[in-house]
């Protein structure tokens, strides 16, 4: 009898380990295909990672991979822990864990309980971050950040008076309208900027006064600025457009990612309006008009040059942020299509799509933009319509308070419906 039990026991263990092997084989296959199909645009990054029976390993360089010198190792049994940690920890503390070379203090199979959502309204319990693209609250600032178009009136294109549009004013009005729709359904909503204040909580002019010197000093210290540049940016000769382009822009984007991550959203919506990229200067109108959305991924051959970037690559590979972003974006683009009457862009409709993106779903493109790369939540980065399109610029020109503009109201509604569709699908799973 004892022998039979023993044999049975051995068979059970064997079946179990066969089951585990199949499970691990499936995980290897899933993550290898995910890296190749969504994250590695030029098929040039395999020297930075490996995916095998042990788990996922990251390397600082292809040379390190050859000599088996890992930068970070995560075992298959730790993936769930890692994802739970991501949800509750700051980006800085996650990067610190990456720096330790492995996930310490978290043995396989133990994880933190996730939060429970009790649905009173459709979005009760949801935390949603909205990021209205750019900073302009007036045409002058739009011109400073070069997210501005001015089209002169003429009879040929049927525009009576000239048209002036600053993208930052459109994105902010959209975010404000969307915020109140989401809040009405019970969501807690966070906006990265407000009125004329950027994500640093102040105007560009005030930031320049308070923070430019420190920013220049620290960029010089880490080798991002040369001595001659430092001198220029601290001199009286410096102009605002250079300060904006070289110093302010990326720091302000990094701030957006930081405050969004500190909010720990369930999803993030980045709001932009597009233009025809071949219609440079945007002084005349274009016939083209498209919608598209971006998610993270499509890293290029030089895109894993820092530890921080390699960490984000790993995060995208092992968390389900990317899968959720694709599904959120697919819902949003479907809603754009039905609400806005604008065609969805095909990969051949713009040069940056063909050259820098991987198509993940209809109208959803992986692209290695700063915000999708650094924001630790499912994200949709929306680019609705072409502002320089002849009909769109006429509609967008109406109303000085853009929250009263009909086209902007339609766009906020389109985002709202797309988000609702996504969360409904999620909760029915
Ligand atoms: Zn934009």
């Amino acid at each position: 009898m004892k022998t039979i039990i023993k044999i049975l026991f051995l068979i059970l263990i064997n079946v179990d380990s066969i089951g585990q092997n199949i499970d691990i084989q499936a995980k290897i296959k899933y993550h290898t295909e995910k890296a190749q199909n969504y994250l590695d645009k030029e098929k040039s990054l395999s020297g930075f990672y490996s995916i095998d029976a042990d788990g996922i390993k990251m390397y600082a360089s292809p040379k390190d991979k050859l000599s088996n010198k890992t930068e970070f190792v995560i075992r298959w049994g730790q993936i769930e822990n890692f994802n739970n940690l991501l949800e509750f920890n700051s980006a800085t503390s996650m990067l610190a864990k990456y720096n330790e070379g492995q996930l310490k203090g978290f043995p396989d199979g133990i994880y933190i309980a996730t939060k429970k959502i009790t649905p009173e309204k459709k979005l009760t319990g949801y935390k949603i971050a909205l990021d209205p693209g750019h900073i302009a609250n007036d045409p002058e600032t739009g011109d400073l950040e070069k997210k501005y178009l001015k089209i002169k009136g003429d009879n040929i294109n049927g525009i009576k008076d000239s048209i002036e549009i600053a993208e930052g004013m459109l994105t902010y009005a959209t975010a404000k309208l969307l915020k109140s729709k989401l809040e009405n359904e019970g969501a807690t909503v966070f906006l990265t900027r407000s009125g004329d204040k950027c994500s640093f909580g102040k105007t560009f002019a005030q930031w320049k006064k308070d923070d430019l010197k420190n920013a220049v000093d620290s960029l010089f210290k880490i080798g991002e600025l040369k001595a001659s540049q430092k001198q220029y940016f601290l001199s009286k000769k410096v102009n605002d457009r250079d300060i904006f382009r070289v110093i302010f822009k990326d720091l302000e984007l990094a701030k957006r990612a930081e405050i969004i991550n500190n909010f720990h959203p369930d999803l993030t919506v980045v709001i932009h309006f597009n233009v025809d990229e071949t219609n440079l200067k945007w002084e005349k109108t274009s016939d083209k008009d498209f919608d598209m959305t971006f998610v993270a991924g499509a890293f290029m051959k030089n895109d894993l040059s820092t530890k921080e970037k390699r960490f984000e690559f790993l995060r995208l590979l092992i968390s389900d942020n990317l899968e959720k972003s694709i599904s959120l974006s697919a819902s949003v683009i479907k809603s754009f299509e039905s609400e806005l009457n604008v065609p969805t862009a095909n990969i051949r409709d713009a040069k940056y799509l063909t050259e820098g993106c991987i198509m993940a779903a209809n109208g959803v493109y992986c692209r290695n933009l700063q915000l999708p790369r650094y924001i630790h939540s499912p994200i949709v980065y929306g680019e609705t319509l072409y502002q320089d399109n002849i009909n769109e610029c006429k509609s967008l020109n109406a109303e000085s308070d853009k929250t009263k503009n009909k086209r902007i109201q339609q766009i906020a509604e389109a985002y709202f419906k797309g988000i609702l569709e996504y969360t409904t699908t999620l909760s029915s799973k």
Side-chain angles (χ1 to χ4, degrees):
M1 187 67 185
K2 258 190 183 168
T3 339
I4 295 173
I5 290 176
K6 247 190 198 163
I7 290 170
L8 259 179
F9 186 65
L10 281 175
I11 290 173
L12 279 177
I13 285 185
N14 268 331
V15 169
D16 195 43
S17 73
I18 291 168
Q20 270 180 7
N21 272 338
I22 293 172
D23 188 40
I24 285 175
Q25 288 308 320
K27 279 182 181 155
I28 294 174
K29 184 169 184 280
Y30 182 83
H31 289 86
T32 306
E33 287 176 0
K34 184 174 170 185
Q36 287 169 356
N37 297 339
Y38 297 98
L39 297 176
D40 186 354
K41 164 77 178 168
E42 299 161 307
K43 308 281 173 271
S44 56
L45 301 174
S46 62
F48 289 93
Y49 66 91
S50 68
I51 302 170
D52 55 32
D54 301 336
I56 301 178
K57 299 175 185 124
M58 293 296 295
Y59 306 92
S61 67
K63 212 175 120 209
D64 280 3
K65 183 176 177 177
L66 284 176
S67 52
N68 211 12
K69 194 175 151 215
T70 56
E71 180 170 73
F72 186 81
V73 181
I74 182 158
R75 299 190 302 277
W76 291 117
Q78 295 180 315
I79 300 274
E80 194 158 7
N81 276 334
F82 183 89
N83 287 330
N84 277 300
L85 287 173
L86 259 181
E87 198 163 331
F88 295 97
N89 281 276
S90 69
T92 327
S93 69
M94 287 308 288
L95 187 61
K97 287 186 194 308
Y98 183 83
N99 262 319
E100 290 175 357
Q102 52 177 298
L103 207 56
K104 280 186 192 156
F106 282 88
D108 300 359
I110 293 175
Y111 55 89
I112 310 153
T114 47
K115 56 192 157 181
K116 281 213 167 61
I117 290 166
T118 40
E120 291 155 29
K121 290 177 176 181
K122 283 180 185 148
L123 295 172
T124 301
Y126 271 92
K127 287 168 79 181
I128 300 178
L130 302 183
D131 180 47
H134 314 295
I135 64 163
N137 193 43
D138 53 67
E140 295 71 43
T141 314
D143 189 31
L144 167 80
E145 59 179 346
K146 289 203 158 183
K147 295 291 169 187
Y148 165 79
L149 55 96
K150 186 166 186 177
I151 293 164
K152 284 196 196 96
D154 71 49
N155 294 330
I156 302 164
N157 56 26
I159 293 170
K160 264 195 279 164
D161 304 309
S162 64
I163 285 179
E164 238 185 336
I165 298 171
E167 189 189 339
M169 296 171 71
L170 307 183
T171 61
Y172 184 60
T174 311
K176 260 172 77 176
L177 294 171
L178 179 56
K179 180 175 188 276
S180 75
K181 287 171 196 282
L182 296 167
E183 283 173 345
N184 283 340
E185 279 302 338
T188 308
V189 181
F190 173 76
L191 242 66
T192 52
R193 66 180 176 94
S194 146
D196 62 354
K197 296 187 176 67
C198 68
S199 67
F200 289 116
K202 46 180 98 173
T203 61
F204 172 72
Q206 193 61 43
W207 175 87
K208 213 171 62 171
K209 243 191 205 162
D210 298 345
D211 307 312
L212 175 65
K213 190 178 177 305
N214 276 342
V216 169
D217 283 342
S218 50
L219 287 173
F220 174 68
K221 229 183 228 164
I222 58 168
E224 292 277 321
L225 289 181
K226 293 185 210 131
S228 59
Q229 285 177 301
K230 178 181 167 179
Q231 200 182 18
Y232 169 66
F233 282 109
L234 297 179
S235 74
K236 291 224 158 60
K237 281 186 297 184
V238 67
N239 70 53
D240 279 359
R241 199 168 258 176
D242 286 342
I243 295 177
F244 186 91
R245 185 175 52 88
V246 183
I247 313 286
F248 177 81
K249 200 173 132 216
D250 280 357
L251 290 177
E252 206 260 346
L253 276 180
K255 187 73 187 172
R256 289 181 194 226
E258 182 193 321
I259 58 182
I260 288 173
N261 286 338
N262 289 343
F263 175 66
H264 292 287
D266 296 292
L267 62 99
T268 300
V269 184
V270 180
I271 301 166
H272 283 261
F273 287 74
N274 218 336
V275 284
D276 176 354
E277 93 278 18
T278 59
N279 182 22
L280 279 181
K281 290 190 184 164
W282 312 302
E283 287 166 343
K284 55 183 177 52
T285 58
S286 162
D287 293 333
K288 286 191 204 163
D289 201 8
F290 290 110
D291 286 328
M292 61 189 79
T293 58
F294 296 115
V295 296
F299 287 71
M300 306 293 226
K301 97 167 156 276
N302 298 320
D303 285 349
L304 293 183
S305 54
T306 67
K307 207 174 224 187
E308 202 177 7
K309 288 174 181 169
R310 291 191 290 277
F311 165 70
E312 299 300 350
F313 179 93
L314 177 73
R315 170 186 68 84
L316 288 162
L317 180 59
I318 65 185
S319 77
D320 61 2
N321 281 180
L322 185 57
E323 288 85 336
K324 284 185 171 161
S325 299
I326 293 170
S327 127
L328 167 64
S329 302
S331 297
V332 167
I333 199 92
K334 232 169 75 188
S335 181
F336 285 169
E337 226 167 46
S338 59
E339 300 290 312
L340 304 178
N341 197 25
V342 173
T344 298
N346 192 285
I347 198 152
R348 284 176 303 277
D349 285 328
K351 210 173 164 197
Y352 53 84
L353 292 178
T354 324
E355 291 178 358
C357 298
I358 297 172
M359 187 172 145
N362 182 37
V364 181
Y365 295 95
C366 296
R367 190 180 186 187
N368 193 12
L369 295 167
Q370 199 172 335
L371 288 183
R373 182 170 67 242
Y374 289 127
I375 287 173
H376 293 187
S377 85
I379 179 173
V380 52
Y381 189 114
E383 285 278 4
T384 43
L385 58 85
Y386 283 11
Q387 301 162 81
D388 50 350
N389 171 273
I390 179 145
N391 299 315
E392 301 290 8
C393 70
K394 283 190 223 168
S395 324
L396 294 169
N397 197 39
E399 308 286 352
S400 53
D401 173 358
K402 295 297 175 193
T403 58
K404 298 203 171 84
N405 180 289
K406 290 267 162 8
R407 197 61 173 148
I408 299 293
Q409 290 171 351
Q410 288 173 349
I411 290 167
E413 181 67 13
Y415 272 109
F416 177 63
K417 286 190 173 154
I419 293 166
L420 273 189
E421 203 218 80
Y422 163 75
T423 53
T424 317
T425 335
L426 260 193
S427 56
S428 67
K429 265 179 193 165

